Amino acid sequence: MSFLLNCPNCGEQNAYNFRFGGEVLDRPDHTASKEDWDGYLYSRKNEAGVQNEWWYHKFGCHKWFLALRDTRNNRVIRTFWPDAPPG
């Protein structure tokens, strides 16, 4: 069974056509401490279950989009543009 992603622009394709960008995190503001920025840049929860993730369509439209994916089984629940609500 192959791991498929549905690009909001190009449609469903093999995950090898994409680049994983990591979990969606809240970006610290300009007044944040060095420790806050270190946590943002280098720490990930890496929890089993559904998470909101960044994906880049490397061999397609070259656009970033978001995916809700269950990390336990790689089931992609939904893909959407960053400005769309995740619900």
Side-chain angles (χ1 to χ4, degrees):
M1 180 165 87
S2 62
F3 176 21
L4 301 175
L5 276 170
N6 186 39
C7 171
N9 192 54
C10 303
E12 191 171 73
Q13 297 184 20
N14 190 300
Y16 289 111
N17 292 337
F18 301 89
R19 179 185 173 274
F20 178 68
E23 302 170 33
V24 174
L25 302 171
D26 292 329
R27 183 183 175 101
D29 68 14
H30 68 284
T31 63
S33 68
K34 179 186 179 313
E35 291 76 22
D36 289 338
W37 277 104
D38 286 347
Y40 172 74
L41 293 171
Y42 303 111
S43 298
R44 300 293 179 259
K45 293 179 185 173
N46 200 25
E47 295 175 352
V50 176
Q51 70 178 10
N52 198 12
E53 304 171 331
W54 285 104
W55 286 86
Y56 177 70
H57 199 171
K58 183 177 176 179
F59 297 117
C61 63
H62 303 278
K63 294 182 185 271
W64 284 96
F65 63 92
L66 299 171
L68 285 177
R69 181 177 67 95
D70 190 330
T71 61
R72 296 169 291 195
N73 56 18
N74 269 347
R75 186 174 71 87
V76 178
I77 299 161
R78 179 174 178 247
T79 59
F80 52 97
W81 297 118
D83 58 352

Coordinates of all heavy atoms in Angstrom, one line a residue:
M1 N 0.8 -1.2 0.0 CA 0.0 0.0 0.0 C 0.9 1.2 0.0 O 1.8 1.4 0.8 CB -0.9 0.0 1.2 CG -1.8 1.2 1.3 SD -3.1 1.0 2.5 CE -2.4 1.6 4.0
S2 N 0.6 2.2 -0.9 CA 1.4 3.4 -1.0 C 0.8 4.5 -0.1 O -0.4 4.5 0.1 CB 1.6 3.8 -2.4 OG 0.4 4.1 -3.0
F3 N 1.7 5.4 0.3 CA 1.3 6.6 1.1 C 0.9 7.7 0.1 O 1.8 8.2 -0.7 CB 2.4 6.9 2.0 CG 2.2 8.2 2.8 CD1 1.0 8.7 3.1 CD2 3.3 8.8 3.3 CE1 0.8 9.9 3.8 CE2 3.2 10.0 4.1 CZ 2.0 10.5 4.3
L4 N -0.3 8.1 0.0 CA -0.8 9.1 -0.9 C -1.2 10.4 -0.2 O -1.7 10.4 0.9 CB -2.1 8.6 -1.7 CG -1.9 7.3 -2.5 CD1 -3.2 6.9 -3.0 CD2 -0.9 7.5 -3.6
L5 N -0.9 11.5 -0.9 CA -1.3 12.8 -0.4 C -2.1 13.5 -1.5 O -1.8 13.3 -2.6 CB -0.1 13.7 -0.1 CG 0.6 13.5 1.2 CD1 1.9 14.3 1.3 CD2 -0.3 14.0 2.4
N6 N -3.1 14.3 -1.0 CA -4.0 15.0 -2.0 C -3.6 16.5 -2.0 O -3.9 17.2 -1.1 CB -5.4 14.8 -1.6 CG -6.3 15.5 -2.6 OD1 -6.1 15.4 -3.8 ND2 -7.4 16.1 -2.1
C7 N -2.8 16.9 -3.0 CA -2.4 18.3 -3.1 C -3.7 19.1 -3.4 O -4.4 18.7 -4.3 CB -1.4 18.5 -4.2 SG -1.0 20.2 -4.6
P8 N -4.0 20.1 -2.7 CA -5.2 20.9 -3.0 C -5.2 21.5 -4.4 O -6.2 21.9 -4.9 CB -5.1 22.1 -1.9 CG -4.2 21.6 -0.8 CD -3.2 20.7 -1.5
N9 N -4.0 21.6 -5.0 CA -3.9 22.2 -6.3 C -3.8 21.1 -7.4 O -4.5 21.3 -8.4 CB -2.6 23.1 -6.4 CG -2.6 23.9 -7.7 OD1 -3.5 24.6 -7.9 ND2 -1.5 23.8 -8.4
C10 N -3.1 20.0 -7.2 CA -2.8 19.0 -8.2 C -3.6 17.7 -8.1 O -3.5 16.9 -9.0 CB -1.3 18.8 -8.3 SG -0.3 20.2 -8.6
G11 N -4.1 17.4 -6.9 CA -4.8 16.2 -6.7 C -3.9 15.1 -6.0 O -2.8 15.4 -5.6
E12 N -4.5 13.9 -5.9 CA -3.8 12.9 -5.2 C -2.6 12.3 -5.9 O -2.7 12.0 -7.1 CB -4.8 11.7 -4.9 CG -4.3 10.7 -3.9 CD -5.4 9.7 -3.5 OE1 -5.8 8.9 -4.4 OE2 -5.9 9.8 -2.4
Q13 N -1.5 12.2 -5.1 CA -0.2 11.7 -5.7 C 0.5 10.9 -4.6 O 0.3 11.1 -3.4 CB 0.6 12.8 -6.3 CG -0.1 13.5 -7.4 CD 0.8 14.6 -8.0 OE1 2.0 14.6 -7.8 NE2 0.2 15.5 -8.7
N14 N 1.5 10.2 -5.1 CA 2.4 9.4 -4.1 C 3.2 10.4 -3.3 O 3.6 11.5 -3.7 CB 3.4 8.6 -5.0 CG 4.1 7.6 -4.1 OD1 4.9 8.0 -3.2 ND2 4.0 6.3 -4.4
A15 N 3.4 10.1 -2.0 CA 4.0 11.0 -1.0 C 5.5 11.3 -1.4 O 6.0 12.3 -1.0 CB 4.0 10.3 0.3
Y16 N 6.1 10.4 -2.3 CA 7.4 10.7 -2.7 C 7.5 12.0 -3.6 O 8.6 12.5 -3.8 CB 8.0 9.5 -3.5 CG 8.3 8.3 -2.7 CD1 7.6 7.2 -2.8 CD2 9.4 8.4 -1.8 CE1 7.9 6.1 -2.0 CE2 9.6 7.3 -0.9 CZ 8.9 6.2 -1.1 OH 9.2 5.1 -0.2
N17 N 6.4 12.5 -4.1 CA 6.4 13.7 -4.8 C 6.4 15.0 -3.9 O 6.4 16.1 -4.4 CB 5.1 13.8 -5.7 CG 5.2 12.8 -6.8 OD1 6.3 12.3 -7.2 ND2 4.1 12.4 -7.4
F18 N 6.4 14.8 -2.6 CA 6.2 15.9 -1.7 C 7.4 15.9 -0.7 O 8.1 14.9 -0.6 CB 4.9 15.7 -0.9 CG 3.7 15.7 -1.7 CD1 3.2 14.5 -2.2 CD2 3.0 16.9 -2.0 CE1 2.1 14.5 -3.0 CE2 1.9 16.9 -2.8 CZ 1.4 15.7 -3.3
R19 N 7.6 17.0 0.0 CA 8.6 17.1 1.0 C 7.8 17.4 2.3 O 7.0 18.3 2.4 CB 9.5 18.2 0.7 CG 10.6 18.4 1.8 CD 11.5 19.6 1.5 NE 12.4 19.9 2.6 CZ 12.0 20.6 3.7 NH1 10.9 21.2 3.8 NH2 12.9 20.8 4.6
F20 N 8.1 16.6 3.4 CA 7.5 16.9 4.7 C 8.2 18.1 5.3 O 9.4 18.2 5.4 CB 7.8 15.6 5.6 CG 7.3 15.7 7.0 CD1 5.9 15.8 7.2 CD2 8.1 15.8 8.0 CE1 5.4 15.9 8.5 CE2 7.7 15.9 9.3 CZ 6.3 16.0 9.6
G21 N 7.4 19.0 5.8 CA 7.9 20.2 6.4 C 7.8 20.3 7.9 O 8.2 21.3 8.5
G22 N 7.2 19.3 8.5 CA 7.1 19.2 10.0 C 5.8 19.6 10.5 O 4.9 20.0 9.8
E23 N 5.7 19.5 11.9 CA 4.4 19.9 12.6 C 4.2 21.4 12.4 O 5.1 22.2 12.4 CB 4.6 19.6 14.0 CG 4.9 18.1 14.4 CD 5.2 18.0 15.9 OE1 4.6 18.7 16.7 OE2 6.0 17.1 16.2
V24 N 2.9 21.8 12.4 CA 2.6 23.2 12.5 C 2.7 23.6 13.9 O 2.2 23.0 14.9 CB 1.1 23.4 12.0 CG1 0.7 24.8 12.2 CG2 1.0 23.0 10.6
L25 N 3.5 24.6 14.1 CA 3.8 25.2 15.5 C 3.4 26.7 15.5 O 3.5 27.3 14.5 CB 5.3 25.0 15.8 CG 5.8 23.6 15.8 CD1 7.3 23.6 16.0 CD2 5.2 22.8 16.9
D26 N 3.1 27.1 16.7 CA 2.9 28.6 16.9 C 4.2 29.3 16.9 O 5.1 29.0 17.8 CB 2.1 28.8 18.2 CG 0.7 28.3 18.1 OD1 0.1 28.3 17.0 OD2 0.2 27.9 19.2
R27 N 4.4 30.2 16.0 CA 5.7 31.0 15.9 C 5.8 32.0 17.0 O 4.9 32.8 17.2 CB 5.8 31.6 14.6 CG 7.0 32.4 14.3 CD 7.0 33.1 12.9 NE 8.1 33.9 12.7 CZ 9.2 33.5 12.0 NH1 9.2 32.4 11.4 NH2 10.2 34.3 11.8
P28 N 6.9 32.0 17.8 CA 7.1 33.1 18.8 C 7.1 34.5 18.2 O 7.5 34.6 17.1 CB 8.4 32.7 19.4 CG 8.7 31.3 19.0 CD 8.0 31.1 17.7
D29 N 6.7 35.5 19.0 CA 6.8 36.8 18.5 C 8.2 37.4 18.7 O 9.1 36.7 19.2 CB 5.7 37.7 19.1 CG 6.0 38.0 20.6 OD1 7.1 37.7 21.1 OD2 5.1 38.5 21.3
H30 N 8.4 38.6 18.2 CA 9.8 39.2 18.2 C 10.3 39.4 19.6 O 11.5 39.6 19.7 CB 9.8 40.5 17.4 CG 9.0 41.6 18.0 ND1 7.6 41.6 18.0 CD2 9.4 42.7 18.7 CE1 7.3 42.7 18.6 NE2 8.3 43.4 19.0
T31 N 9.5 39.4 20.6 CA 10.0 39.6 22.0 C 10.3 38.3 22.7 O 10.7 38.3 23.9 CB 8.9 40.4 22.8 OG1 7.7 39.6 22.9 CG2 8.6 41.7 22.1
A32 N 10.2 37.2 22.0 CA 10.4 35.9 22.7 C 11.8 35.7 23.0 O 12.8 36.3 22.4 CB 10.0 34.8 21.7
S33 N 12.1 34.9 24.1 CA 13.4 34.6 24.5 C 14.1 33.6 23.6 O 13.5 33.0 22.7 CB 13.3 33.9 25.9 OG 12.8 32.7 25.8
K34 N 15.4 33.5 23.8 CA 16.2 32.6 23.0 C 15.7 31.2 23.2 O 15.7 30.4 22.3 CB 17.7 32.7 23.4 CG 18.6 31.7 22.6 CD 20.0 31.8 23.2 CE 21.0 30.8 22.5 NZ 20.5 29.5 22.3
E35 N 15.4 30.8 24.4 CA 14.9 29.5 24.7 C 13.6 29.2 24.0 O 13.3 28.1 23.5 CB 14.7 29.3 26.3 CG 15.9 29.3 27.1 CD 16.6 30.7 27.2 OE1 15.9 31.7 27.1 OE2 17.8 30.7 27.5
D36 N 12.7 30.2 23.9 CA 11.4 30.0 23.1 C 11.7 29.8 21.7 O 11.1 28.9 21.0 CB 10.5 31.3 23.3 CG 9.9 31.4 24.6 OD1 9.9 30.4 25.4 OD2 9.5 32.5 25.0
W37 N 12.7 30.5 21.1 CA 13.1 30.3 19.7 C 13.7 29.0 19.5 O 13.5 28.3 18.5 CB 13.9 31.5 19.2 CG 13.1 32.6 18.8 CD1 12.9 33.8 19.5 CD2 12.3 32.7 17.6 NE1 12.1 34.6 18.8 CE2 11.7 34.0 17.6 CE3 12.1 31.9 16.5 CZ2 10.9 34.5 16.6 CZ3 11.2 32.4 15.5 CH2 10.7 33.6 15.6
D38 N 14.6 28.6 20.4 CA 15.2 27.2 20.3 C 14.2 26.1 20.3 O 14.3 25.2 19.5 CB 16.2 27.0 21.5 CG 17.5 27.8 21.3 OD1 17.8 28.3 20.2 OD2 18.2 27.9 22.3
G39 N 13.2 26.3 21.2 CA 12.1 25.3 21.2 C 11.3 25.2 19.9 O 11.0 24.2 19.4
Y40 N 11.0 26.4 19.4 CA 10.3 26.5 18.1 C 11.1 25.9 17.0 O 10.5 25.1 16.2 CB 10.0 28.0 17.8 CG 9.4 28.2 16.5 CD1 8.1 27.8 16.2 CD2 10.1 28.8 15.4 CE1 7.5 28.1 15.0 CE2 9.6 29.0 14.2 CZ 8.2 28.6 14.0 OH 7.7 28.8 12.7
L41 N 12.4 26.1 16.9 CA 13.2 25.7 15.8 C 13.6 24.2 15.9 O 13.7 23.5 14.9 CB 14.4 26.5 15.7 CG 14.2 28.0 15.2 CD1 15.4 28.8 15.4 CD2 13.6 28.0 13.8
Y42 N 13.8 23.7 17.1 CA 14.4 22.4 17.3 C 13.6 21.3 18.0 O 13.9 20.1 17.9 CB 15.8 22.5 18.0 CG 16.7 23.5 17.2 CD1 17.0 24.7 17.7 CD2 17.2 23.1 15.9 CE1 17.9 25.6 17.0 CE2 18.0 24.0 15.2 CZ 18.3 25.2 15.8 OH 19.1 26.1 15.1
S43 N 12.6 21.7 18.7 CA 11.8 20.7 19.5 C 10.5 20.4 18.8 O 9.8 21.3 18.3 CB 11.5 21.3 20.9 OG 12.7 21.5 21.6
R44 N 10.2 19.1 18.8 CA 8.9 18.7 18.2 C 8.2 17.7 19.2 O 8.9 17.0 20.0 CB 9.1 17.9 16.9 CG 9.8 18.7 15.8 CD 8.9 19.9 15.4 NE 9.5 20.7 14.4 CZ 10.0 21.9 14.6 NH1 10.1 22.4 15.8 NH2 10.5 22.6 13.6
K45 N 6.9 17.7 19.2 CA 6.2 16.8 20.1 C 6.3 15.4 19.7 O 6.5 14.5 20.5 CB 4.7 17.2 20.1 CG 4.4 18.5 20.8 CD 3.0 18.8 20.7 CE 2.7 20.2 21.3 NZ 1.3 20.6 21.1
N46 N 6.3 15.1 18.4 CA 6.4 13.8 17.8 C 5.5 12.8 18.5 O 6.0 11.7 18.9 CB 7.9 13.3 17.9 CG 8.2 12.2 16.9 OD1 7.5 12.1 15.9 ND2 9.2 11.4 17.2
E47 N 4.3 13.1 18.7 CA 3.3 12.3 19.4 C 2.6 11.4 18.4 O 2.3 11.8 17.3 CB 2.3 13.1 20.2 CG 3.0 13.9 21.3 CD 2.0 14.8 22.1 OE1 0.9 15.0 21.6 OE2 2.4 15.4 23.1
A48 N 2.2 10.2 18.8 CA 1.4 9.4 18.0 C 0.0 9.9 18.0 O -0.6 10.3 19.0 CB 1.4 7.9 18.5
G49 N -0.6 10.0 16.8 CA -2.0 10.4 16.7 C -2.1 11.5 15.5 O -1.2 11.6 14.7
V50 N -3.2 12.2 15.5 CA -3.5 13.2 14.5 C -2.7 14.4 14.8 O -2.7 15.0 15.9 CB -5.0 13.5 14.4 CG1 -5.3 14.6 13.4 CG2 -5.8 12.2 14.1
Q51 N -2.0 14.9 13.7 CA -1.3 16.2 13.9 C -1.4 17.0 12.6 O -1.6 16.4 11.5 CB 0.2 16.0 14.2 CG 1.1 15.4 13.2 CD 2.5 15.3 13.7 OE1 2.8 15.5 14.9 NE2 3.5 15.0 12.8
N52 N -1.3 18.3 12.7 CA -1.3 19.2 11.6 C 0.1 19.4 11.1 O 1.0 19.8 11.9 CB -2.0 20.5 12.1 CG -2.5 21.4 11.0 OD1 -2.6 21.0 9.9 ND2 -2.8 22.6 11.4
E53 N 0.3 19.2 9.8 CA 1.7 19.2 9.3 C 1.8 20.0 8.0 O 0.8 20.2 7.2 CB 2.1 17.8 8.8 CG 2.0 16.8 9.9 CD 2.1 15.3 9.4 OE1 1.8 15.0 8.3 OE2 2.6 14.5 10.2
W54 N 3.0 20.5 7.8 CA 3.4 21.2 6.5 C 3.9 20.2 5.5 O 4.6 19.3 5.8 CB 4.5 22.2 6.8 CG 4.1 23.5 7.5 CD1 4.3 23.8 8.8 CD2 3.4 24.6 6.9 NE1 3.7 25.0 9.1 CE2 3.2 25.5 8.0 CE3 2.9 24.9 5.7 CZ2 2.5 26.7 7.7 CZ3 2.2 26.1 5.5 CH2 2.1 27.0 6.5
W55 N 3.4 20.4 4.3 CA 3.9 19.6 3.1 C 4.2 20.5 2.0 O 3.4 21.5 1.7 CB 2.9 18.5 2.8 CG 2.8 17.4 3.7 CD1 2.1 17.3 4.9 CD2 3.6 16.2 3.7 NE1 2.3 16.2 5.6 CE2 3.2 15.4 4.9 CE3 4.5 15.7 2.8 CZ2 3.8 14.2 5.1 CZ3 5.1 14.4 3.1 CH2 4.7 13.7 4.2
Y56 N 5.2 20.2 1.2 CA 5.6 21.0 0.0 C 5.5 20.0 -1.2 O 6.1 18.9 -1.2 CB 7.0 21.5 0.2 CG 7.5 22.2 -1.0 CD1 7.0 23.5 -1.3 CD2 8.6 21.7 -1.8 CE1 7.5 24.2 -2.4 CE2 9.1 22.4 -2.9 CZ 8.6 23.6 -3.2 OH 9.0 24.3 -4.3
H57 N 4.8 20.5 -2.3 CA 4.7 19.7 -3.5 C 5.9 19.9 -4.4 O 6.0 20.7 -5.3 CB 3.4 20.1 -4.2 CG 3.0 19.0 -5.2 ND1 1.8 19.0 -5.9 CD2 3.6 17.8 -5.6 CE1 1.7 17.9 -6.6 NE2 2.8 17.2 -6.5
K58 N 6.9 19.1 -4.0 CA 8.3 19.2 -4.6 C 8.3 18.9 -6.1 O 8.9 19.6 -6.9 CB 9.2 18.3 -3.9 CG 10.6 18.3 -4.3 CD 11.4 17.3 -3.5 CE 12.8 17.2 -3.9 NZ 13.6 16.3 -3.0
F59 N 7.6 17.9 -6.6 CA 7.6 17.5 -8.0 C 6.2 17.8 -8.6 O 5.6 16.9 -9.2 CB 7.9 16.0 -8.1 CG 9.3 15.7 -7.7 CD1 9.6 14.9 -6.6 CD2 10.4 16.3 -8.3 CE1 10.9 14.6 -6.2 CE2 11.7 16.1 -7.9 CZ 11.9 15.2 -6.8
G60 N 5.7 19.0 -8.3 CA 4.4 19.4 -8.8 C 4.3 20.9 -8.9 O 5.1 21.5 -9.5
C61 N 3.3 21.4 -8.2 CA 3.1 22.9 -8.2 C 4.0 23.7 -7.4 O 3.9 25.0 -7.5 CB 1.6 23.1 -7.9 SG 1.2 22.7 -6.1
H62 N 4.8 23.1 -6.6 CA 5.8 23.9 -5.8 C 5.1 24.8 -4.8 O 5.6 25.9 -4.5 CB 6.8 24.7 -6.6 CG 7.6 23.9 -7.6 ND1 8.7 23.2 -7.2 CD2 7.3 23.6 -8.9 CE1 9.1 22.5 -8.3 NE2 8.3 22.8 -9.3
K63 N 4.0 24.3 -4.2 CA 3.3 25.1 -3.2 C 3.3 24.4 -1.9 O 3.3 23.1 -1.8 CB 1.8 25.3 -3.6 CG 1.7 26.2 -4.9 CD 0.3 26.4 -5.2 CE 0.2 27.2 -6.5 NZ 0.1 28.6 -6.3
W64 N 3.3 25.1 -0.8 CA 3.1 24.6 0.6 C 1.7 24.5 0.9 O 0.9 25.3 0.6 CB 3.8 25.5 1.6 CG 5.3 25.4 1.6 CD1 6.2 26.2 0.9 CD2 6.1 24.5 2.3 NE1 7.5 25.8 1.2 CE2 7.4 24.8 2.0 CE3 5.8 23.4 3.1 CZ2 8.5 24.0 2.6 CZ3 6.9 22.7 3.7 CH2 8.2 23.0 3.4
F65 N 1.3 23.4 1.6 CA -0.1 23.2 2.1 C 0.0 22.4 3.4 O 1.0 22.0 3.9 CB -0.9 22.5 1.0 CG -0.5 21.1 0.7 CD1 -1.0 20.0 1.4 CD2 0.4 20.8 -0.3 CE1 -0.6 18.7 1.1 CE2 0.8 19.6 -0.6 CZ 0.3 18.5 0.1
L66 N -1.2 22.3 4.0 CA -1.3 21.6 5.3 C -2.0 20.3 5.2 O -2.9 20.2 4.3 CB -2.0 22.5 6.3 CG -1.3 23.9 6.6 CD1 -2.2 24.7 7.5 CD2 0.0 23.6 7.3
A67 N -1.7 19.4 6.0 CA -2.4 18.1 6.1 C -2.6 17.7 7.5 O -1.7 17.8 8.4 CB -1.6 17.0 5.4
L68 N -3.8 17.2 7.8 CA -4.1 16.5 9.0 C -3.8 15.1 8.8 O -4.5 14.5 7.9 CB -5.6 16.7 9.5 CG -5.9 18.1 10.0 CD1 -7.4 18.2 10.3 CD2 -5.1 18.4 11.2
R69 N -2.9 14.5 9.5 CA -2.4 13.1 9.3 C -2.3 12.4 10.6 O -1.8 12.9 11.6 CB -1.1 13.1 8.5 CG -0.6 11.7 8.2 CD 0.7 11.8 7.5 NE 1.8 12.3 8.3 CZ 2.7 11.6 9.0 NH1 2.6 10.3 9.0 NH2 3.6 12.2 9.7
D70 N -2.8 11.2 10.6 CA -2.7 10.3 11.7 C -1.3 9.6 11.6 O -1.1 8.8 10.7 CB -3.8 9.3 11.8 CG -3.9 8.5 13.1 OD1 -2.8 8.3 13.7 OD2 -5.0 8.1 13.5
T71 N -0.4 9.9 12.5 CA 1.0 9.4 12.4 C 1.0 7.9 12.8 O 2.0 7.2 12.5 CB 1.9 10.1 13.4 OG1 1.5 10.0 14.7 CG2 2.0 11.6 13.0
R72 N 0.0 7.3 13.4 CA 0.0 5.9 13.7 C -0.2 5.0 12.5 O 0.3 3.9 12.5 CB -1.1 5.6 14.7 CG -0.9 6.3 16.1 CD -2.1 6.2 16.9 NE -3.2 7.0 16.3 CZ -4.3 7.4 16.9 NH1 -4.5 7.0 18.1 NH2 -5.2 8.2 16.3
N73 N -0.9 5.5 11.5 CA -1.1 4.7 10.3 C -0.9 5.4 9.0 O -1.2 4.9 7.9 CB -2.5 4.1 10.3 CG -3.6 5.2 10.5 OD1 -3.3 6.3 10.2 ND2 -4.8 4.7 10.9
N74 N -0.4 6.7 9.0 CA -0.2 7.5 7.8 C -1.5 7.9 7.1 O -1.4 8.3 6.0 CB 0.8 6.9 6.8 CG 2.2 7.3 7.1 OD1 2.5 8.2 7.9 ND2 3.1 6.7 6.5
R75 N -2.6 7.7 7.7 CA -3.9 8.1 7.1 C -4.0 9.6 7.1 O -4.0 10.2 8.1 CB -5.1 7.5 7.8 CG -6.4 7.7 7.1 CD -7.5 6.9 7.8 NE -7.9 7.5 9.1 CZ -8.7 8.5 9.3 NH1 -9.4 9.1 8.3 NH2 -9.0 9.0 10.5
V76 N -4.2 10.1 5.8 CA -4.3 11.6 5.7 C -5.8 11.9 5.8 O -6.6 11.4 5.0 CB -3.8 12.1 4.3 CG1 -4.0 13.5 4.2 CG2 -2.3 11.7 4.3
I77 N -6.2 12.6 6.7 CA -7.6 13.0 7.0 C -8.1 14.1 6.1 O -9.2 14.0 5.5 CB -7.8 13.4 8.5 CG1 -7.4 12.2 9.3 CG2 -9.2 13.8 8.8 CD1 -7.1 12.5 10.8
R78 N -7.2 15.1 5.9 CA -7.6 16.2 5.1 C -6.4 17.0 4.7 O -5.4 17.1 5.5 CB -8.5 17.1 5.9 CG -9.0 18.4 5.3 CD -10.1 19.1 6.1 NE -10.5 20.3 5.5 CZ -10.2 21.5 5.9 NH1 -9.6 21.7 7.1 NH2 -10.6 22.6 5.3
T79 N -6.4 17.6 3.5 CA -5.3 18.5 3.1 C -6.0 19.8 2.8 O -7.2 19.9 2.3 CB -4.5 18.0 1.9 OG1 -5.4 17.8 0.8 CG2 -3.8 16.8 2.2
F80 N -5.3 21.0 3.0 CA -5.9 22.3 2.8 C -4.8 23.3 2.7 O -3.7 23.1 3.1 CB -6.9 22.6 3.9 CG -6.4 22.4 5.3 CD1 -5.9 23.5 6.0 CD2 -6.3 21.2 5.9 CE1 -5.4 23.4 7.3 CE2 -5.8 21.0 7.2 CZ -5.4 22.1 7.9
W81 N -5.2 24.5 2.2 CA -4.3 25.6 2.1 C -4.1 26.3 3.5 O -5.0 26.2 4.3 CB -4.8 26.7 1.1 CG -4.9 26.2 -0.3 CD1 -6.1 26.1 -1.0 CD2 -3.9 25.7 -1.1 NE1 -5.7 25.6 -2.3 CE2 -4.4 25.4 -2.3 CE3 -2.5 25.6 -0.9 CZ2 -3.6 24.9 -3.4 CZ3 -1.7 25.1 -2.0 CH2 -2.3 24.8 -3.2
P82 N -3.0 26.9 3.7 CA -2.7 27.5 5.1 C -3.7 28.5 5.6 O -4.0 28.6 6.7 CB -1.3 28.2 4.9 CG -0.7 27.4 3.8 CD -1.8 27.0 2.9
D83 N -4.4 29.2 4.7 CA -5.4 30.2 5.1 C -6.8 29.6 5.3 O -7.7 30.3 5.7 CB -5.4 31.4 4.1 CG -5.7 30.9 2.7 OD1 -5.8 29.7 2.4 OD2 -6.0 31.8 1.8
A84 N -6.9 28.3 5.1 CA -8.3 27.7 5.3 C -8.3 27.2 6.7 O -7.3 26.8 7.3 CB -8.4 26.5 4.3
P85 N -9.5 27.1 7.3 CA -9.6 26.6 8.7 C -9.3 25.1 8.7 O -9.7 24.4 7.8 CB -11.0 26.9 9.1 CG -11.8 27.1 7.8 CD -10.7 27.6 6.8
P86 N -8.7 24.6 9.7 CA -8.3 23.2 9.7 C -9.4 22.2 10.0 O -9.3 21.0 9.9 CB -7.3 23.1 10.9 CG -7.6 24.2 11.7 CD -8.1 25.3 10.8
G87 N -10.6 22.7 10.4 CA -11.7 21.8 10.7 C -12.3 21.1 9.6 O -12.5 20.0 9.4

